[in-house]
Amino acid sequence: MTSEGIEPVPKGSEPEEEGLLSDPGEAGADLDLGALLSQIGQVQQGLEDAQASAAAQVVEGSAGGGMVRVRVTGGLEFESVTVDRSVVDPADVDLLEDLILAAVRDAVDQANELQRQALGGFDPSAGLGGLGGLGGLGGLGGLGGLGGLLGGPPGD
């Protein structure tokens, strides 16, 4: 025992860890990491299924009152472009280009809306910020390498 009343612990005699949280009074002591990872896996699978379902659907964007139409899947695979012959004027190619661009943008907007609806309102183009504060998963990034299991680089 030292003069402060603290007895030194001999090297190699540290108590073994009982688990992630050894103090039952510690915040989050009931954390079951296996169950949490299982739930994350289930959510991820559900999101992937919803995205696949949306990707298989086809939407059509249009411009010029339907004079130019673009068909695209929810996965943003363009299937066709249809141009009414009445808008093909060699003297006004700029108009045709504008109509095609507007139809493509409309189709992409519709495909993105399809994805958003399939994901229950989550906007995939917003990144994880669309999770309403859960993008950081409540600090799970500090799990020392387990972040790699969640789809991010280890240590995130």
Side-chain angles (χ1 to χ4, degrees):
M1 197 168 283
T2 65
S3 59
E4 292 89 24
I6 299 173
E7 190 169 318
V9 177
K11 210 172 197 169
S13 65
E14 291 87 5
E16 291 185 28
E17 281 190 35
E18 295 176 17
L20 276 178
L21 301 172
S22 58
D23 180 6
E26 191 174 334
D30 295 331
L31 176 67
D32 181 350
L33 189 57
L36 179 62
L37 290 174
S38 175
Q39 286 178 336
I40 290 171
Q42 290 172 3
V43 168
Q44 182 178 8
Q45 184 62 49
L47 290 173
E48 289 173 1
D49 292 346
Q51 284 181 314
S53 173
Q57 297 181 44
V58 177
V59 294
E60 184 175 277
S62 66
M67 302 295 257
V68 176
R69 297 185 315 271
V70 175
R71 291 177 47 89
V72 64
T73 68
L76 296 180
E77 291 183 30
F78 290 86
E79 293 191 340
S80 66
V81 175
T82 305
V83 178
D84 187 289
R85 294 190 188 283
S86 67
V87 295
V88 180
D89 180 1
D92 195 2
V93 174
D94 290 339
L95 173 64
L96 181 57
E97 291 172 343
D98 290 344
L99 288 172
I100 292 171
L101 186 58
V104 167
R105 287 180 176 154
D106 184 41
V108 169
D109 287 346
Q110 289 185 47
N112 285 336
E113 177 64 17
L114 196 62
Q115 285 283 343
R116 191 189 64 72
Q117 288 175 0
L119 298 175
F122 171 69
D123 183 359
S125 66
L128 290 179
L131 291 176
L134 295 177
L137 295 177
L140 289 179
L143 291 177
L146 291 177
L149 295 175
L150 304 176
D156 273 4

